[in-house]
Amino acid sequence: MALSAHAQTKHEIKFSQRLHVGDKVPQLNNSKVLFKSAKDIQLHSNDKVVLLDFFDTFCTACIASLPKLQKLQDELKENLQIVMVTWQDKATIEKFWRSNAFIRENKIQLPVIYGDTLLRQFFPHTGVPHVAWLFRGLVQAVTFSEFINRDNILKLSNEGSIALPSKWDFNDAILIKNMDAKNLLGEVKLTGYQDGRPTQSYTYSLDITSGFYKTTIINQSIIAAYTTTYSEISKPKFILRPERIELLVADSSKFDNFNSFVTPQVWLSQNGISYERLDKHPRSAIEQARLVLDDLDRFLNLKVYWAKKMRKVWSLKGTFHKADKMVTGNKISSSDFLAFGIDMQNKYPIVIDLVNVKESFVLPKYKNLQELNRGLSNYGLQIVEEQREIDVLVFEEVK
């Protein structure tokens, strides 16, 4: 999965000041503005679409998005005003803009509201980028930055409103509503993407407010819903790369964002699922996870199971011994750590560790299998590319 870069909240958030979609934007005195005159930043009433893009200099995703934002600002200047907003002070921003080569090379000249404490109360968040869409004095949307594009900006400018999936970083206490809790014995609900709720992997706990044992999976891909549930039964010993997934389904694009040109948050808003279950009585963690898997299978018309499948792999083999000569390079704590590190690169076949060495060793940098094996040979080890059966998670539609 994925998700956008996040930065830690720097100020206490009071939700009493939060602005919702449709609310009027208060008239503000924007005196703390860099790179543009403060009087030119009109949030209260503006015939241009105003995007408040909350960021800080620690957020790599925020900085990486600046050239795209600058390009949109230049192309749509009659329709658009992008305003960057940060809690950081004037000196920090000025120094960053002056010293950062990426900022200079891309000629970023977007206005920045610095030292902000008020706007983050109107649009509370814990993660950045975080974007508030304003038009003609009203809040139109609050989204992830991935929804900033030419089509959405022009749609809002031309039509006066827009419906976009909401970004909300806080786990609200979801209470049992519209039902008599005394008579309720349990409930299971599977929905699509739930707008305005943060993503949440598998959780199972007692909800002290309602007295029910609550199981939730919120706004996850189908594959992530299963894998996070399976991890409650047995902790994964490997990275679940695409090679370890087999989709025997009519439309694989609905299951995860593998190799998709659609950005992760946009894809998730179209294909994510949410699962919620209420139980009066507790079960063991493993029993509950198995029950959830059965529910998912039934509701999604799937049969999901682990199976052995032949795949091209890199098998780590040999008999480990200490190096005969001094070796310089990166220290590897164990053979399974090496396998994990190679798998993380997602450039090579899956690595199967057949030596299980718990001693540390040093490997020089490598660009291919030949160079890697040259370093491993100092320790009596080698990687062999071959076909081998490995564990694969199979998603099979029930006909």
Side-chain angles (χ1 to χ4, degrees):
M1 295 291 302
L3 299 177
S4 59
H6 280 70
Q8 188 63 37
T9 301
K10 301 296 179 182
H11 301 282
E12 181 183 358
I13 295 174
K14 298 177 181 178
F15 297 110
S16 59
Q17 292 182 278
R18 177 191 176 192
L19 296 179
H20 298 78
V21 172
D23 287 349
K24 290 184 178 180
V25 181
Q27 191 161 6
L28 303 173
N29 176 24
N30 300 308
S31 58
K32 297 180 178 180
V33 179
L34 285 172
F35 316 125
K36 196 173 180 74
S37 172
K39 63 179 173 31
D40 295 331
I41 307 299
Q42 298 294 326
L43 307 183
H44 173 67
S45 179
N46 199 319
D47 286 334
K48 294 182 180 182
V49 173
V50 178
L51 299 183
L52 298 179
D53 193 322
F54 293 85
F55 82 108
D56 64 40
T57 58
F58 303 110
C59 170
T60 55
C62 302
I63 305 306
S65 71
L66 289 174
K68 181 191 82 169
L69 298 180
Q70 185 66 63
K71 182 179 180 182
L72 285 170
Q73 180 63 78
D74 294 341
E75 292 177 351
L76 303 175
K77 57 186 176 183
E78 301 301 322
N79 307 85
L80 175 66
Q81 178 61 67
I82 297 176
V83 182
M84 309 303 294
V85 184
T86 181
W87 57 271
Q88 292 173 292
D89 61 25
K90 180 180 180 181
T92 299
I93 298 303
E94 286 183 326
K95 180 179 178 181
F96 188 82
W97 248 248
R98 185 173 60 249
S99 61
N100 187 278
F102 183 77
I103 297 289
R104 296 198 310 271
E105 290 169 5
N106 288 281
K107 299 178 181 179
I108 306 302
Q109 299 174 329
L110 298 170
V112 178
I113 295 177
Y114 61 87
D116 169 65
T117 57
L118 181 59
L119 288 172
R120 72 177 300 112
Q121 301 296 335
F122 291 156
F123 304 103
H125 57 277
T126 60
V128 290
H130 184 80
V131 184
W133 299 60
L134 315 180
F135 188 54
R136 294 177 179 169
L138 299 178
V139 181
Q140 302 291 339
V142 179
T143 73
F144 289 90
S145 64
E146 294 173 51
F147 293 91
I148 300 177
N149 58 51
R150 182 185 180 88
D151 289 345
N152 285 338
I153 292 166
L154 290 179
K155 179 179 176 61
L156 176 53
S157 178
N158 294 332
E159 299 180 13
S161 64
I162 193 168
L164 295 173
S166 298
K167 177 176 182 283
W168 179 245
D169 296 344
F170 305 91
N171 277 313
D172 295 325
I174 307 300
L175 305 180
I176 301 172
K177 299 177 180 179
N178 302 323
M179 60 181 70
D180 185 350
K182 292 182 179 179
N183 295 327
L184 182 69
L185 299 179
E187 182 183 53
V188 181
K189 180 170 66 175
L190 183 68
T191 68
Y193 183 87
Q194 292 192 12
D195 191 28
R197 293 186 69 182
T199 58
Q200 180 179 322
S201 59
Y202 180 100
T203 62
Y204 172 53
S205 61
L206 174 63
D207 178 10
I208 58 175
T209 302
S210 66
F212 282 88
Y213 291 87
K214 185 164 65 173
T215 310
T216 55
I217 303 169
I218 305 298
N219 293 341
Q220 297 282 352
S221 70
I222 293 175
I223 288 179
Y226 275 91
T227 55
T228 60
T229 306
Y230 267 114
S231 67
E232 298 296 313
I233 298 172
S234 177
K235 295 300 179 184
K237 298 179 180 178
F238 45 77
I239 299 172
L240 196 66
R241 285 176 36 172
E243 297 94 325
R244 290 188 180 271
I245 301 289
E246 184 165 309
L247 297 174
L248 305 177
V249 298
D251 186 359
S252 61
S253 68
K254 301 294 184 183
F255 282 71
D256 216 318
N257 198 29
F258 294 136
N259 304 318
S260 173
F261 293 107
V262 181
T263 54
Q265 284 299 329
V266 173
W267 182 92
L268 195 63
S269 70
Q270 298 167 348
N271 300 287
I273 64 169
S274 297
Y275 170 95
E276 296 174 273
R277 182 184 179 96
L278 298 174
D279 290 286
K280 270 291 188 183
H281 304 288
R283 299 181 181 89
S284 71
I286 292 178
E287 287 177 324
Q288 189 70 12
R290 286 175 175 158
L291 189 62
V292 172
L293 291 172
D294 288 342
D295 286 341
L296 291 173
D297 278 356
R298 185 169 64 256
F299 288 129
L300 295 171
N301 198 39
L302 292 172
K303 180 182 178 183
V304 180
Y305 54 92
W306 288 99
K308 295 289 186 181
K309 300 285 183 175
M310 293 295 293
R311 295 287 189 270
K312 181 173 72 174
V313 301
W314 278 7
S315 296
L316 180 60
K317 300 180 178 182
T319 302
F320 179 82
H321 60 69
K322 297 289 186 180
D324 297 325
K325 59 181 180 180
M326 181 68 68
V327 180
T328 59
N330 296 318
K331 186 175 181 179
I332 310 297
S333 60
S334 63
S335 59
D336 60 350
F337 184 82
L338 172 64
F340 182 85
I342 296 175
D343 277 356
M344 279 285 289
Q345 297 179 54
N346 208 27
K347 293 167 53 178
Y348 307 109
I350 289 170
V351 179
I352 305 300
D353 178 15
L354 301 177
V355 296
N356 195 26
V357 173
K358 299 303 181 185
E359 295 186 59
S360 62
F361 51 97
V362 176
L363 282 180
K365 291 184 179 180
Y366 59 90
K367 297 179 181 178
N368 51 49
L369 180 57
Q370 183 180 7
E371 292 181 4
L372 175 55
N373 271 335
R374 190 177 302 130
L376 288 170
S377 66
N378 293 317
Y379 303 93
L381 303 177
Q382 67 169 333
I383 285 180
V384 177
E385 186 171 290
E386 61 184 359
Q387 293 286 325
R388 179 178 286 271
E389 282 192 339
I390 63 171
D391 290 320
V392 171
L393 189 59
V394 180
F395 290 75
E396 181 180 349
E397 281 182 340
V398 178
K399 298 180 180 179

